[in-house]
Amino acid sequence: MDRKKHSGILCHITCLPTSYGIGDFGPQAYAFIDDLARAGQTYWQILPIGNTDDSGCPYATDSAFGCADYYVSPDLLIKEYEIDPALYHKFILNTERVDFKRAKENKREALKIAYEKFLPSSSFHQFLKDEKDWVMDYAMFRALGETRGHDFRTWGRPELTSEEQKLMDFHLFCQFSCFSQLSELKKYANSKNVKLVGDLPIFVSYNSMDVWKNPQEFYLNDKLEMEYETGAAPDAFSKTGQKWGTPIYNWKAQKADNFEWWNKRLSFLKRYFDVIRIDHFRGFVATWISKVSAPDASEGQWYEGPGEELFKSLRDCPEIIAEDLGYITPEVEKLRETFNFPSMRVLEFMLGGANNPHRLTNYEFNTVAYTGTHDCDTLMGWYKSLSKEDKQRVEHDLQIERPNHWEMIQVLMSAPSRIVFIQIQDLLGLGSEARFNYPGTVQPKNWSWKLEFKDERRIDWQKLGMITTENDRVERKVVCG
């Protein structure tokens, strides 16, 4: 195994500051890559990029494939299709947080203007060929959802009207625009020695293209309804467990075709990302399920997963990080270790007994360490919320009195973990007001935090570069400025 250590930043695309109220694949993303490269960072991790509802939750999308239109950069559309910038002035959006509803509407209108100038090219036809496993079905799914309602069980035979065919063609253009821009962004990142890290949610939404086109891959009844749903077992955080509303896989049926859907899914992600973090990795060993009709998940049960058989079937997939947080059994650890997937460590989870894997003394090389994840408070928000006794324990373990964000980052960067990820909020030392998500809740604050231009300018990339170099996480001297 390569024993070199590296580091990177966790910052979802939507968090980048732009004139359109939401981050995208445009100029600010390129500038962010420049900052990462100058600071010696090797990785940029983002969250899933699928199409969401107006809440913007990236873990509840309408397909395991595809991309949300709001990631498209109007600035790049203007350049590519020679659009008068004045036509896009109405899409400028100055909001403190991301307004997903307005951003979605604006980006769709921006795409419509570009679509009027679009002529199918060789690159467009190549895109359709490369993405033949999903893109036609996805465009049809989006079109039928707009004309026939969101319950795919009522659609009947998908013979398209002329209006639906036009909508489908438009959505093909939208996906081509999304992935063309992402592909170019990845090329640029790689040219700067920065790798893009994507995110794969293990489960998919019930109202998704995947369930519509491949119902046999899921455990459904004769009416294509869910009888069971995925979730989390009761624990210290939730005495009644969690119900996630996503269908469980029919692992027997998937095994029969050698997990072809998963092969297509990982191959698709590899085209646009260098590394993939698999969310809820333990679900491949067993998933907590409960009846849809049950009021909570307290009376649920464990549903056995495919284990090694799935990963042995994979023919073409990117490098993988296993999100192994939560209730982890020896079977989960064995599965991860069999394929040498790195385990996750989170600094904010450091409190606990001697066997707590997140205590700094238990970090190992084949781990990926985080200041916090998208579901955590910010580093300073977490520290300030601790009791006096817990603060003293943290200070004792870190060997720092009243630590600030840079001191905690320095400690984490000195850990033996092969990769360290720092949340973008933690580079600024922001408090709980900048928290990205509160798990198990539905509220406007979730997923909507974003950087302001003035905040981005305050990031001390030079200091990050110095810490990175001091801890041998970069192979060259870092020059910032």
Side-chain angles (χ1 to χ4, degrees):
M1 180 189 293
D2 180 2
R3 303 295 295 185
K4 295 175 183 176
K5 298 193 297 183
H6 300 284
S7 59
I9 302 299
L10 169 58
C11 176
H12 193 36
I13 293 286
T14 59
C15 298
L16 297 176
T18 72
S19 300
Y20 304 100
I22 187 170
D24 56 37
F25 298 142
Q28 283 302 122
Y30 284 79
F32 189 69
I33 289 169
D34 289 339
D35 289 332
L36 293 174
R38 282 194 292 269
Q41 304 309 296
T42 311
Y43 297 92
W44 175 10
Q45 181 178 328
I46 65 175
L47 304 186
I49 59 170
N51 184 49
T52 70
D53 61 17
D54 291 344
S55 73
C57 174
Y59 294 91
T61 64
D62 62 8
S63 179
F65 303 84
C67 183
D69 298 344
Y70 52 69
Y71 292 111
V72 166
S73 165
D75 293 323
L76 296 183
L77 292 178
I78 288 172
K79 182 178 180 180
E80 182 173 1
Y81 295 101
E82 299 181 344
I83 297 169
D84 181 355
L87 294 176
Y88 277 16
H89 284 174
K90 59 185 175 182
F91 303 135
I92 292 175
L93 191 59
N94 296 311
T95 54
E96 184 176 338
R97 287 180 170 267
V98 175
D99 183 332
F100 284 97
K101 186 176 187 298
R102 292 176 65 187
K104 287 171 69 175
E105 292 170 349
N106 287 351
K107 292 296 182 78
R108 184 181 177 106
E109 292 304 310
L111 282 160
K112 283 183 178 179
I113 292 172
Y115 186 51
E116 293 177 357
K117 293 176 170 285
F118 170 69
L119 294 174
S121 60
S122 58
S123 58
F124 175 70
H125 291 297
Q126 185 62 48
F127 169 74
L128 297 184
K129 181 179 179 181
D130 292 341
E131 309 302 336
K132 63 182 183 300
D133 289 333
W134 64 272
V135 71
M136 301 299 287
D137 288 335
Y138 183 65
M140 185 183 296
F141 179 83
R142 293 286 297 271
L144 294 178
E146 292 178 29
T147 60
R148 304 187 189 186
H150 294 292
D151 185 352
F152 62 80
R153 294 172 301 169
T154 67
W155 290 353
R157 294 177 61 83
E159 295 175 355
L160 305 186
T161 65
S162 59
E163 176 192 1
E164 290 169 341
Q165 184 62 59
K166 290 178 181 178
L167 269 174
M168 181 177 169
D169 291 342
F170 173 66
H171 283 296
L172 288 174
F173 165 74
C174 292
Q175 292 303 299
F176 170 65
S177 298
C178 286
F179 285 105
S180 294
Q181 291 189 3
L182 176 55
S183 182
E184 289 302 310
L185 186 68
K186 180 179 181 295
K187 288 179 184 177
Y188 185 78
N190 292 167
S191 75
K192 297 287 185 174
N193 297 316
V194 173
K195 296 180 179 180
L196 291 189
V197 183
D199 198 313
L200 184 155
I202 184 174
F203 302 114
V204 300
S205 300
Y206 171 72
N207 186 30
S208 65
M209 180 267 283
D210 313 281
V211 177
W212 170 59
K213 288 299 294 185
N214 305 288
Q216 73 281 358
E217 304 277 357
F218 302 87
Y219 195 98
L220 307 172
N221 63 20
D222 293 340
K223 297 180 180 179
L224 300 184
E225 298 170 333
M226 293 191 302
E227 293 184 355
Y228 290 88
E229 62 182 288
T230 61
D235 56 21
F237 298 100
S238 176
K239 294 181 179 180
T240 58
Q242 298 178 38
K243 290 165 71 74
W244 295 341
T246 48
I248 64 177
Y249 292 113
N250 185 337
W251 293 121
K252 184 177 180 180
Q254 294 198 8
K255 179 182 176 181
D257 70 356
N258 202 31
F259 302 99
E260 188 62 22
W261 182 77
W262 283 95
N263 272 278
K264 291 177 180 178
R265 189 178 184 187
L266 270 297
S267 180
F268 155 71
L269 289 170
K270 186 179 181 180
R271 288 193 284 277
Y272 301 100
F273 298 99
D274 301 290
V275 184
I276 287 294
R277 168 191 176 274
I278 297 183
D279 189 56
H280 198 65
F281 180 78
R282 71 110 47 243
F284 293 109
V285 172
T287 300
W288 186 258
I289 65 172
S290 58
K291 287 189 175 182
V292 173
S293 58
D296 55 51
S298 59
E299 299 299 323
Q301 60 186 319
W302 288 105
Y303 176 61
E304 188 175 353
E308 293 184 17
E309 290 180 292
L310 187 150
F311 292 98
K312 286 179 178 177
S313 80
L314 298 179
R315 301 183 298 270
D316 182 36
C317 66
E319 181 183 340
I320 287 174
I321 295 172
E323 187 271 286
D324 56 348
L325 306 177
Y327 175 62
I328 301 303
T329 63
E331 292 79 11
V332 178
E333 293 179 354
K334 180 182 177 182
L335 176 63
R336 180 185 57 74
E337 291 170 356
T338 296
F339 296 93
N340 202 37
F341 299 150
S343 176
M344 279 182 58
R345 298 290 185 269
V346 181
L347 184 64
E348 292 183 23
F349 296 168
M350 65 184 293
L351 295 174
N355 294 327
N356 176 12
H358 302 283
R359 292 195 64 176
L360 288 168
T361 52
N362 293 328
Y363 282 32
E364 300 171 352
F365 177 74
N366 198 28
T367 60
V368 178
Y370 291 75
T371 54
T373 74
H374 61 272
D375 282 334
C376 295
D377 201 344
T378 63
L379 200 53
M380 291 309 298
W382 163 74
Y383 175 73
K384 290 177 181 178
S385 71
L386 297 176
S387 66
K388 180 179 179 181
E389 292 74 17
D390 282 342
K391 283 181 180 176
Q392 290 174 343
R393 291 176 62 193
V394 169
E395 291 170 4
H396 175 269
D397 286 358
L398 298 181
Q399 298 185 336
I400 303 171
E401 185 177 353
R402 291 191 295 276
N404 61 34
H405 60 291
W406 280 116
E407 290 173 322
M408 288 192 277
I409 288 171
Q410 168 68 46
V411 170
L412 190 64
M413 292 284 259
S414 68
S417 300
R418 60 189 289 193
I419 307 173
V420 166
F421 279 107
I422 303 164
Q423 280 202 99
I424 189 69
Q425 299 97 311
D426 295 333
L427 285 183
L428 288 163
L430 300 178
S432 297
E433 75 283 353
R435 181 170 182 163
F436 202 51
N437 181 49
Y438 292 80
T441 69
V442 178
Q443 54 178 300
K445 286 185 177 181
N446 287 350
W447 316 113
S448 62
W449 178 85
K450 65 182 178 71
L451 281 166
E452 300 289 343
F453 282 105
K454 59 181 175 59
D455 293 327
E456 186 185 42
R457 289 191 289 269
R458 290 197 300 112
I459 296 175
D460 193 340
W461 293 107
Q462 185 170 5
K463 186 165 188 174
L464 177 62
M466 291 173 59
I467 293 175
T468 303
T469 302
E470 290 169 0
N471 289 284
D472 296 321
R473 292 192 175 274
V474 64
E475 298 177 46
R476 55 189 169 75
K477 185 177 180 180
V478 178
V479 179
C480 293

